[in-house]
mmCIF file of all heavy atoms in Angstrom:
data_model
loop_
_atom_site.group_PDB
_atom_site.id
_atom_site.type_symbol
_atom_site.label_atom_id
_atom_site.label_comp_id
_atom_site.label_asym_id
_atom_site.label_seq_id
_atom_site.Cartn_x
_atom_site.Cartn_y
_atom_site.Cartn_z
ATOM 1 N N LEU A 1 7.263 11.277 -31.866
ATOM 2 C CA LEU A 1 8.212 10.186 -31.658
ATOM 3 C C LEU A 1 8.614 10.079 -30.187
ATOM 4 O O LEU A 1 8.722 8.969 -29.642
ATOM 5 C CB LEU A 1 9.453 10.400 -32.528
ATOM 6 C CG LEU A 1 9.212 10.522 -34.039
ATOM 7 C CD1 LEU A 1 10.529 10.670 -34.777
ATOM 8 C CD2 LEU A 1 8.449 9.323 -34.564
ATOM 9 N N ASN A 2 8.823 11.226 -29.544
ATOM 10 C CA ASN A 2 9.195 11.203 -28.127
ATOM 11 C C ASN A 2 8.065 10.650 -27.258
ATOM 12 O O ASN A 2 8.313 9.935 -26.275
ATOM 13 C CB ASN A 2 9.557 12.608 -27.648
ATOM 14 C CG ASN A 2 10.913 13.060 -28.161
ATOM 15 O OD1 ASN A 2 11.752 12.235 -28.540
ATOM 16 N ND2 ASN A 2 11.143 14.359 -28.183
ATOM 17 N N ALA A 3 6.821 10.976 -27.612
ATOM 18 C CA ALA A 3 5.681 10.517 -26.821
ATOM 19 C C ALA A 3 5.605 8.994 -26.802
ATOM 20 O O ALA A 3 5.293 8.388 -25.766
ATOM 21 C CB ALA A 3 4.382 11.104 -27.377
ATOM 22 N N GLN A 4 5.903 8.374 -27.936
ATOM 23 C CA GLN A 4 5.885 6.908 -27.974
ATOM 24 C C GLN A 4 6.996 6.333 -27.102
ATOM 25 O O GLN A 4 6.810 5.325 -26.411
ATOM 26 C CB GLN A 4 6.031 6.423 -29.421
ATOM 27 C CG GLN A 4 5.823 4.930 -29.605
ATOM 28 C CD GLN A 4 7.093 4.119 -29.412
ATOM 29 O OE1 GLN A 4 8.196 4.650 -29.571
ATOM 30 N NE2 GLN A 4 6.947 2.849 -29.062
ATOM 31 N N GLY A 5 8.156 6.988 -27.094
ATOM 32 C CA GLY A 5 9.258 6.528 -26.252
ATOM 33 C C GLY A 5 8.937 6.652 -24.769
ATOM 34 O O GLY A 5 9.250 5.758 -23.976
ATOM 35 N N TYR A 6 8.306 7.765 -24.389
ATOM 36 C CA TYR A 6 7.912 7.933 -22.990
ATOM 37 C C TYR A 6 6.872 6.883 -22.580
ATOM 38 O O TYR A 6 6.911 6.364 -21.457
ATOM 39 C CB TYR A 6 7.335 9.328 -22.780
ATOM 40 C CG TYR A 6 8.320 10.449 -22.991
ATOM 41 C CD1 TYR A 6 7.923 11.682 -23.501
ATOM 42 C CD2 TYR A 6 9.674 10.280 -22.689
ATOM 43 C CE1 TYR A 6 8.828 12.707 -23.707
ATOM 44 C CE2 TYR A 6 10.589 11.303 -22.888
ATOM 45 C CZ TYR A 6 10.162 12.514 -23.401
ATOM 46 O OH TYR A 6 11.059 13.521 -23.598
ATOM 47 N N THR A 7 5.947 6.585 -23.489
ATOM 48 C CA THR A 7 4.935 5.568 -23.201
ATOM 49 C C THR A 7 5.577 4.203 -22.987
ATOM 50 O O THR A 7 5.229 3.480 -22.043
ATOM 51 C CB THR A 7 3.917 5.487 -24.346
ATOM 52 O OG1 THR A 7 3.251 6.747 -24.480
ATOM 53 C CG2 THR A 7 2.890 4.400 -24.097
ATOM 54 N N GLN A 8 6.507 3.850 -23.856
ATOM 55 C CA GLN A 8 7.171 2.554 -23.729
ATOM 56 C C GLN A 8 7.957 2.465 -22.425
ATOM 57 O O GLN A 8 7.945 1.429 -21.744
ATOM 58 C CB GLN A 8 8.107 2.331 -24.916
ATOM 59 C CG GLN A 8 8.754 0.957 -24.962
ATOM 60 C CD GLN A 8 7.729 -0.148 -25.089
ATOM 61 O OE1 GLN A 8 7.073 -0.283 -26.107
ATOM 62 N NE2 GLN A 8 7.579 -0.950 -24.040
ATOM 63 N N ALA A 9 8.634 3.553 -22.058
ATOM 64 C CA ALA A 9 9.390 3.565 -20.807
ATOM 65 C C ALA A 9 8.463 3.397 -19.609
ATOM 66 O O ALA A 9 8.797 2.710 -18.631
ATOM 67 C CB ALA A 9 10.178 4.864 -20.685
ATOM 68 N N ALA A 10 7.275 4.013 -19.672
ATOM 69 C CA ALA A 10 6.306 3.887 -18.571
ATOM 70 C C ALA A 10 5.792 2.451 -18.465
ATOM 71 O O ALA A 10 5.529 1.962 -17.357
ATOM 72 C CB ALA A 10 5.151 4.859 -18.782
ATOM 73 N N TRP A 11 5.643 1.770 -19.597
ATOM 74 C CA TRP A 11 5.170 0.373 -19.571
ATOM 75 C C TRP A 11 6.239 -0.553 -19.012
ATOM 76 O O TRP A 11 5.920 -1.595 -18.435
ATOM 77 C CB TRP A 11 4.752 -0.069 -20.967
ATOM 78 C CG TRP A 11 3.424 0.489 -21.385
ATOM 79 C CD1 TRP A 11 3.007 1.784 -21.276
ATOM 80 C CD2 TRP A 11 2.327 -0.229 -21.955
ATOM 81 N NE1 TRP A 11 1.732 1.916 -21.758
ATOM 82 C CE2 TRP A 11 1.288 0.702 -22.181
ATOM 83 C CE3 TRP A 11 2.131 -1.556 -22.310
ATOM 84 C CZ2 TRP A 11 0.068 0.340 -22.740
ATOM 85 C CZ3 TRP A 11 0.918 -1.926 -22.871
ATOM 86 C CH2 TRP A 11 -0.107 -0.979 -23.084
ATOM 87 N N TRP A 12 7.512 -0.194 -19.191
ATOM 88 C CA TRP A 12 8.594 -1.007 -18.633
ATOM 89 C C TRP A 12 8.811 -0.730 -17.147
ATOM 90 O O TRP A 12 9.459 -1.522 -16.469
ATOM 91 C CB TRP A 12 9.889 -0.732 -19.386
ATOM 92 C CG TRP A 12 9.916 -1.336 -20.748
ATOM 93 C CD1 TRP A 12 9.184 -2.393 -21.205
ATOM 94 C CD2 TRP A 12 10.734 -0.925 -21.854
ATOM 95 N NE1 TRP A 12 9.479 -2.660 -22.525
ATOM 96 C CE2 TRP A 12 10.426 -1.786 -22.948
ATOM 97 C CE3 TRP A 12 11.679 0.065 -22.037
ATOM 98 C CZ2 TRP A 12 11.040 -1.663 -24.192
ATOM 99 C CZ3 TRP A 12 12.304 0.186 -23.268
ATOM 100 C CH2 TRP A 12 11.986 -0.672 -24.332
ATOM 101 N N ASN A 13 8.300 0.375 -16.658
ATOM 102 C CA ASN A 13 8.513 0.773 -15.269
ATOM 103 C C ASN A 13 7.562 -0.002 -14.361
ATOM 104 O O ASN A 13 6.413 0.377 -14.159
ATOM 105 C CB ASN A 13 8.284 2.284 -15.126
ATOM 106 C CG ASN A 13 8.678 2.795 -13.756
ATOM 107 O OD1 ASN A 13 9.376 2.115 -13.006
ATOM 108 N ND2 ASN A 13 8.240 3.995 -13.425
ATOM 109 N N ARG A 14 8.041 -1.092 -13.805
ATOM 110 C CA ARG A 14 7.217 -1.985 -12.978
ATOM 111 C C ARG A 14 7.735 -1.983 -11.536
ATOM 112 O O ARG A 14 8.812 -1.475 -11.241
ATOM 113 C CB ARG A 14 7.263 -3.409 -13.542
ATOM 114 C CG ARG A 14 6.921 -3.531 -15.035
ATOM 115 C CD ARG A 14 5.442 -3.484 -15.266
ATOM 116 N NE ARG A 14 4.790 -4.614 -14.644
ATOM 117 C CZ ARG A 14 4.734 -5.835 -15.192
ATOM 118 N NH1 ARG A 14 5.279 -6.073 -16.374
ATOM 119 N NH2 ARG A 14 4.096 -6.812 -14.565
ATOM 120 N N ILE A 15 6.957 -2.560 -10.646
ATOM 121 C CA ILE A 15 7.383 -2.706 -9.252
ATOM 122 C C ILE A 15 8.596 -3.645 -9.206
ATOM 123 O O ILE A 15 8.563 -4.727 -9.796
ATOM 124 C CB ILE A 15 6.236 -3.266 -8.398
ATOM 125 C CG1 ILE A 15 5.082 -2.262 -8.337
ATOM 126 C CG2 ILE A 15 6.721 -3.584 -6.983
ATOM 127 C CD1 ILE A 15 3.876 -2.760 -7.590
ATOM 128 N N PRO A 16 9.666 -3.276 -8.498
ATOM 129 C CA PRO A 16 10.868 -4.122 -8.465
ATOM 130 C C PRO A 16 10.592 -5.502 -7.853
ATOM 131 O O PRO A 16 9.726 -5.655 -6.977
ATOM 132 C CB PRO A 16 11.845 -3.314 -7.592
ATOM 133 C CG PRO A 16 11.338 -1.912 -7.631
ATOM 134 C CD PRO A 16 9.850 -2.007 -7.778
ATOM 135 N N ILE A 17 11.349 -6.481 -8.305
ATOM 136 C CA ILE A 17 11.219 -7.842 -7.789
ATOM 137 C C ILE A 17 11.534 -7.882 -6.292
ATOM 138 O O ILE A 17 10.906 -8.640 -5.535
ATOM 139 C CB ILE A 17 12.157 -8.793 -8.556
ATOM 140 C CG1 ILE A 17 11.777 -8.825 -10.054
ATOM 141 C CG2 ILE A 17 12.077 -10.201 -7.971
ATOM 142 C CD1 ILE A 17 10.385 -9.341 -10.318
ATOM 143 N N ALA A 18 12.483 -7.058 -5.857
ATOM 144 C CA ALA A 18 12.843 -7.039 -4.433
ATOM 145 C C ALA A 18 11.656 -6.623 -3.567
ATOM 146 O O ALA A 18 11.466 -7.163 -2.471
ATOM 147 C CB ALA A 18 14.023 -6.090 -4.206
ATOM 148 N N ALA A 19 10.859 -5.674 -4.057
ATOM 149 C CA ALA A 19 9.688 -5.239 -3.295
ATOM 150 C C ALA A 19 8.661 -6.362 -3.189
ATOM 151 O O ALA A 19 8.065 -6.577 -2.122
ATOM 152 C CB ALA A 19 9.069 -4.005 -3.946
ATOM 153 N N TRP A 20 8.452 -7.091 -4.297
ATOM 154 C CA TRP A 20 7.531 -8.229 -4.270
ATOM 155 C C TRP A 20 8.029 -9.316 -3.312
ATOM 156 O O TRP A 20 7.247 -9.907 -2.558
ATOM 157 C CB TRP A 20 7.369 -8.810 -5.666
ATOM 158 C CG TRP A 20 6.451 -8.060 -6.554
ATOM 159 C CD1 TRP A 20 6.770 -7.363 -7.686
ATOM 160 C CD2 TRP A 20 5.024 -7.924 -6.407
ATOM 161 N NE1 TRP A 20 5.648 -6.798 -8.240
ATOM 162 C CE2 TRP A 20 4.566 -7.128 -7.481
ATOM 163 C CE3 TRP A 20 4.119 -8.389 -5.473
ATOM 164 C CZ2 TRP A 20 3.232 -6.798 -7.642
ATOM 165 C CZ3 TRP A 20 2.780 -8.064 -5.636
ATOM 166 C CH2 TRP A 20 2.354 -7.275 -6.715
ATOM 167 N N THR A 21 9.334 -9.574 -3.334
ATOM 168 C CA THR A 21 9.901 -10.611 -2.472
ATOM 169 C C THR A 21 9.707 -10.255 -1.001
ATOM 170 O O THR A 21 9.298 -11.100 -0.183
ATOM 171 C CB THR A 21 11.394 -10.793 -2.783
ATOM 172 O OG1 THR A 21 11.552 -11.121 -4.172
ATOM 173 C CG2 THR A 21 11.984 -11.903 -1.933
ATOM 174 N N LEU A 22 10.006 -8.998 -0.661
ATOM 175 C CA LEU A 22 9.837 -8.561 0.722
ATOM 176 C C LEU A 22 8.378 -8.668 1.155
ATOM 177 O O LEU A 22 8.073 -9.125 2.266
ATOM 178 C CB LEU A 22 10.330 -7.125 0.870
ATOM 179 C CG LEU A 22 10.196 -6.486 2.253
ATOM 180 C CD1 LEU A 22 11.038 -7.257 3.266
ATOM 181 C CD2 LEU A 22 10.600 -5.017 2.214
ATOM 182 N N LEU A 23 7.459 -8.271 0.276
ATOM 183 C CA LEU A 23 6.034 -8.321 0.601
ATOM 184 C C LEU A 23 5.565 -9.752 0.837
ATOM 185 O O LEU A 23 4.825 -10.036 1.796
ATOM 186 C CB LEU A 23 5.233 -7.675 -0.532
ATOM 187 C CG LEU A 23 3.704 -7.669 -0.400
ATOM 188 C CD1 LEU A 23 3.282 -6.965 0.879
ATOM 189 C CD2 LEU A 23 3.076 -7.003 -1.610
ATOM 190 N N ILE A 24 5.996 -10.681 0.002
ATOM 191 C CA ILE A 24 5.573 -12.085 0.138
ATOM 192 C C ILE A 24 6.154 -12.712 1.391
ATOM 193 O O ILE A 24 5.455 -13.436 2.130
ATOM 194 C CB ILE A 24 5.981 -12.871 -1.118
ATOM 195 C CG1 ILE A 24 5.186 -12.375 -2.336
ATOM 196 C CG2 ILE A 24 5.755 -14.360 -0.916
ATOM 197 C CD1 ILE A 24 5.651 -12.956 -3.643
ATOM 198 N N VAL A 25 7.432 -12.441 1.669
ATOM 199 C CA VAL A 25 8.077 -13.041 2.843
ATOM 200 C C VAL A 25 7.401 -12.564 4.130
ATOM 201 O O VAL A 25 7.083 -13.368 5.024
ATOM 202 C CB VAL A 25 9.580 -12.699 2.847
ATOM 203 C CG1 VAL A 25 10.207 -13.097 4.185
ATOM 204 C CG2 VAL A 25 10.286 -13.421 1.709
ATOM 205 N N ILE A 26 7.164 -11.261 4.236
ATOM 206 C CA ILE A 26 6.524 -10.739 5.448
ATOM 207 C C ILE A 26 5.083 -11.244 5.549
ATOM 208 O O ILE A 26 4.581 -11.507 6.656
ATOM 209 C CB ILE A 26 6.587 -9.198 5.455
ATOM 210 C CG1 ILE A 26 8.045 -8.747 5.553
ATOM 211 C CG2 ILE A 26 5.782 -8.628 6.618
ATOM 212 C CD1 ILE A 26 8.225 -7.258 5.607
ATOM 213 N N SER A 27 4.394 -11.387 4.426
ATOM 214 C CA SER A 27 3.026 -11.926 4.459
ATOM 215 C C SER A 27 3.007 -13.353 5.003
ATOM 216 O O SER A 27 2.127 -13.722 5.793
ATOM 217 C CB SER A 27 2.420 -11.893 3.053
ATOM 218 O OG SER A 27 2.304 -10.575 2.569
ATOM 219 N N ILE A 28 3.980 -14.153 4.598
ATOM 220 C CA ILE A 28 4.061 -15.533 5.095
ATOM 221 C C ILE A 28 4.335 -15.539 6.593
ATOM 222 O O ILE A 28 3.715 -16.304 7.357
ATOM 223 C CB ILE A 28 5.141 -16.309 4.327
ATOM 224 C CG1 ILE A 28 4.701 -16.517 2.873
ATOM 225 C CG2 ILE A 28 5.412 -17.657 4.999
ATOM 226 C CD1 ILE A 28 5.747 -17.180 2.002
ATOM 227 N N PHE A 29 5.256 -14.688 7.051
ATOM 228 C CA PHE A 29 5.546 -14.621 8.480
ATOM 229 C C PHE A 29 4.320 -14.189 9.280
ATOM 230 O O PHE A 29 4.041 -14.726 10.362
ATOM 231 C CB PHE A 29 6.700 -13.652 8.739
ATOM 232 C CG PHE A 29 8.051 -14.246 8.511
ATOM 233 C CD1 PHE A 29 9.002 -13.591 7.768
ATOM 234 C CD2 PHE A 29 8.375 -15.487 9.056
ATOM 235 C CE1 PHE A 29 10.253 -14.144 7.559
ATOM 236 C CE2 PHE A 29 9.620 -16.047 8.852
ATOM 237 C CZ PHE A 29 10.568 -15.381 8.095
ATOM 238 N N CYS A 30 3.568 -13.221 8.757
ATOM 239 C CA CYS A 30 2.376 -12.747 9.451
ATOM 240 C C CYS A 30 1.328 -13.851 9.567
ATOM 241 O O CYS A 30 0.716 -14.034 10.625
ATOM 242 C CB CYS A 30 1.789 -11.537 8.733
ATOM 243 S SG CYS A 30 2.715 -10.013 8.997
ATOM 244 N N ASN A 31 1.110 -14.598 8.501
ATOM 245 C CA ASN A 31 0.144 -15.693 8.553
ATOM 246 C C ASN A 31 0.615 -16.796 9.500
ATOM 247 O O ASN A 31 -0.204 -17.419 10.194
ATOM 248 C CB ASN A 31 -0.078 -16.257 7.154
ATOM 249 C CG ASN A 31 -0.989 -15.390 6.312
ATOM 250 O OD1 ASN A 31 -2.202 -15.443 6.432
ATOM 251 N ND2 ASN A 31 -0.400 -14.571 5.452
ATOM 252 N N LEU A 32 1.916 -17.013 9.540
ATOM 253 C CA LEU A 32 2.463 -18.007 10.462
ATOM 254 C C LEU A 32 2.202 -17.589 11.912
ATOM 255 O O LEU A 32 1.781 -18.410 12.750
ATOM 256 C CB LEU A 32 3.960 -18.170 10.208
ATOM 257 C CG LEU A 32 4.675 -19.324 10.924
ATOM 258 C CD1 LEU A 32 4.164 -20.658 10.415
ATOM 259 C CD2 LEU A 32 6.179 -19.206 10.724
ATOM 260 N N LEU A 33 2.426 -16.318 12.215
ATOM 261 C CA LEU A 33 2.200 -15.817 13.568
ATOM 262 C C LEU A 33 0.717 -15.820 13.933
ATOM 263 O O LEU A 33 0.347 -16.152 15.072
ATOM 264 C CB LEU A 33 2.779 -14.407 13.702
ATOM 265 C CG LEU A 33 4.306 -14.296 13.626
ATOM 266 C CD1 LEU A 33 4.733 -12.828 13.627
ATOM 267 C CD2 LEU A 33 4.963 -15.031 14.789
ATOM 268 N N VAL A 34 -0.131 -15.436 12.976
ATOM 269 C CA VAL A 34 -1.573 -15.454 13.238
ATOM 270 C C VAL A 34 -2.051 -16.877 13.484
ATOM 271 O O VAL A 34 -2.874 -17.137 14.388
ATOM 272 C CB VAL A 34 -2.338 -14.797 12.069
ATOM 273 C CG1 VAL A 34 -3.841 -15.043 12.190
ATOM 274 C CG2 VAL A 34 -2.068 -13.305 12.030
ATOM 275 N N GLY A 35 -1.569 -17.822 12.701
ATOM 276 C CA GLY A 35 -1.932 -19.218 12.912
ATOM 277 C C GLY A 35 -1.452 -19.729 14.261
ATOM 278 O O GLY A 35 -2.158 -20.487 14.938
ATOM 279 N N TYR A 36 -0.286 -19.278 14.660
ATOM 280 C CA TYR A 36 0.250 -19.699 15.964
ATOM 281 C C TYR A 36 -0.587 -19.136 17.099
ATOM 282 O O TYR A 36 -0.819 -19.813 18.104
ATOM 283 C CB TYR A 36 1.692 -19.238 16.087
ATOM 284 C CG TYR A 36 2.399 -19.763 17.312
ATOM 285 C CD1 TYR A 36 3.010 -21.009 17.288
ATOM 286 C CD2 TYR A 36 2.448 -19.015 18.481
ATOM 287 C CE1 TYR A 36 3.653 -21.502 18.417
ATOM 288 C CE2 TYR A 36 3.089 -19.495 19.613
ATOM 289 C CZ TYR A 36 3.692 -20.738 19.577
ATOM 290 O OH TYR A 36 4.308 -21.226 20.692
ATOM 291 N N SER A 37 -1.049 -17.873 16.939
ATOM 292 C CA SER A 37 -1.858 -17.260 17.998
ATOM 293 C C SER A 37 -3.263 -17.852 18.049
ATOM 294 O O SER A 37 -3.870 -17.974 19.111
ATOM 295 C CB SER A 37 -1.945 -15.748 17.791
ATOM 296 O OG SER A 37 -2.639 -15.446 16.583
ATOM 297 N N ALA A 38 -3.823 -18.244 16.883
ATOM 298 C CA ALA A 38 -5.170 -18.823 16.851
ATOM 299 C C ALA A 38 -5.165 -20.285 17.273
ATOM 300 O O ALA A 38 -6.138 -20.782 17.851
ATOM 301 C CB ALA A 38 -5.764 -18.690 15.449
ATOM 302 N N HIS A 39 -4.069 -20.991 16.953
ATOM 303 C CA HIS A 39 -3.828 -22.419 17.236
ATOM 304 C C HIS A 39 -5.086 -23.272 17.081
ATOM 305 O O HIS A 39 -5.448 -24.077 17.937
ATOM 306 C CB HIS A 39 -3.201 -22.628 18.617
ATOM 307 C CG HIS A 39 -3.967 -22.029 19.773
ATOM 308 N ND1 HIS A 39 -5.010 -22.674 20.368
ATOM 309 C CD2 HIS A 39 -3.797 -20.868 20.446
ATOM 310 C CE1 HIS A 39 -5.468 -21.929 21.379
ATOM 311 N NE2 HIS A 39 -4.748 -20.831 21.431
ATOM 312 N N GLY A 40 -5.786 -23.064 15.948
ATOM 313 C CA GLY A 40 -6.863 -23.959 15.553
ATOM 314 C C GLY A 40 -8.177 -23.749 16.247
ATOM 315 O O GLY A 40 -9.132 -24.493 16.006
ATOM 316 N N ARG A 41 -8.289 -22.751 17.114
ATOM 317 C CA ARG A 41 -9.564 -22.547 17.804
ATOM 318 C C ARG A 41 -10.620 -21.943 16.889
ATOM 319 O O ARG A 41 -11.809 -22.153 17.084
ATOM 320 C CB ARG A 41 -9.356 -21.626 19.014
ATOM 321 C CG ARG A 41 -8.542 -22.265 20.131
ATOM 322 C CD ARG A 41 -8.332 -21.305 21.259
ATOM 323 N NE ARG A 41 -7.647 -20.098 20.819
ATOM 324 C CZ ARG A 41 -7.328 -19.090 21.637
ATOM 325 N NH1 ARG A 41 -7.655 -19.144 22.922
ATOM 326 N NH2 ARG A 41 -6.700 -18.028 21.166
ATOM 327 N N ASN A 42 -10.183 -21.198 15.914
ATOM 328 C CA ASN A 42 -11.123 -20.538 15.010
ATOM 329 C C ASN A 42 -10.565 -20.613 13.592
ATOM 330 O O ASN A 42 -9.682 -19.836 13.213
ATOM 331 C CB ASN A 42 -11.334 -19.086 15.429
ATOM 332 C CG ASN A 42 -12.497 -18.441 14.684
ATOM 333 O OD1 ASN A 42 -12.939 -18.935 13.653
ATOM 334 N ND2 ASN A 42 -12.997 -17.347 15.224
ATOM 335 N N TRP A 43 -11.075 -21.560 12.805
ATOM 336 C CA TRP A 43 -10.540 -21.750 11.451
ATOM 337 C C TRP A 43 -10.917 -20.601 10.519
ATOM 338 O O TRP A 43 -10.231 -20.340 9.536
ATOM 339 C CB TRP A 43 -11.045 -23.077 10.886
ATOM 340 C CG TRP A 43 -10.477 -24.249 11.609
ATOM 341 C CD1 TRP A 43 -11.065 -24.967 12.596
ATOM 342 C CD2 TRP A 43 -9.180 -24.813 11.424
ATOM 343 N NE1 TRP A 43 -10.227 -25.962 13.055
ATOM 344 C CE2 TRP A 43 -9.053 -25.896 12.342
ATOM 345 C CE3 TRP A 43 -8.113 -24.511 10.579
ATOM 346 C CZ2 TRP A 43 -7.906 -26.661 12.429
ATOM 347 C CZ3 TRP A 43 -6.965 -25.289 10.664
ATOM 348 C CH2 TRP A 43 -6.871 -26.347 11.572
ATOM 349 N N ILE A 44 -12.004 -19.933 10.817
ATOM 350 C CA ILE A 44 -12.369 -18.765 9.990
ATOM 351 C C ILE A 44 -11.314 -17.681 10.116
ATOM 352 O O ILE A 44 -10.958 -17.018 9.144
ATOM 353 C CB ILE A 44 -13.761 -18.247 10.395
ATOM 354 C CG1 ILE A 44 -14.823 -19.307 10.130
ATOM 355 C CG2 ILE A 44 -14.091 -16.960 9.642
ATOM 356 C CD1 ILE A 44 -16.224 -18.890 10.534
ATOM 357 N N LEU A 45 -10.790 -17.509 11.319
ATOM 358 C CA LEU A 45 -9.746 -16.510 11.530
ATOM 359 C C LEU A 45 -8.510 -16.829 10.697
ATOM 360 O O LEU A 45 -7.832 -15.921 10.212
ATOM 361 C CB LEU A 45 -9.390 -16.451 13.015
ATOM 362 C CG LEU A 45 -8.303 -15.450 13.415
ATOM 363 C CD1 LEU A 45 -8.752 -14.034 13.103
ATOM 364 C CD2 LEU A 45 -7.975 -15.589 14.894
ATOM 365 N N LEU A 46 -8.224 -18.117 10.532
ATOM 366 C CA LEU A 46 -7.064 -18.511 9.737
ATOM 367 C C LEU A 46 -7.247 -18.209 8.250
ATOM 368 O O LEU A 46 -6.274 -18.184 7.506
ATOM 369 C CB LEU A 46 -6.782 -20.006 9.922
ATOM 370 C CG LEU A 46 -6.369 -20.465 11.325
ATOM 371 C CD1 LEU A 46 -6.089 -21.953 11.330
ATOM 372 C CD2 LEU A 46 -5.159 -19.679 11.816
#
């Protein structure tokens, strides 16, 4: 019975929403800066 409870708790243990939010925001800023540095000279780089 305990093993099933531990399994269920592990399935509920996910990456926090705050971590996802921080990752997405910084990713957007990085792409914005890379686009600014490339300024359309190399679309593959973008």
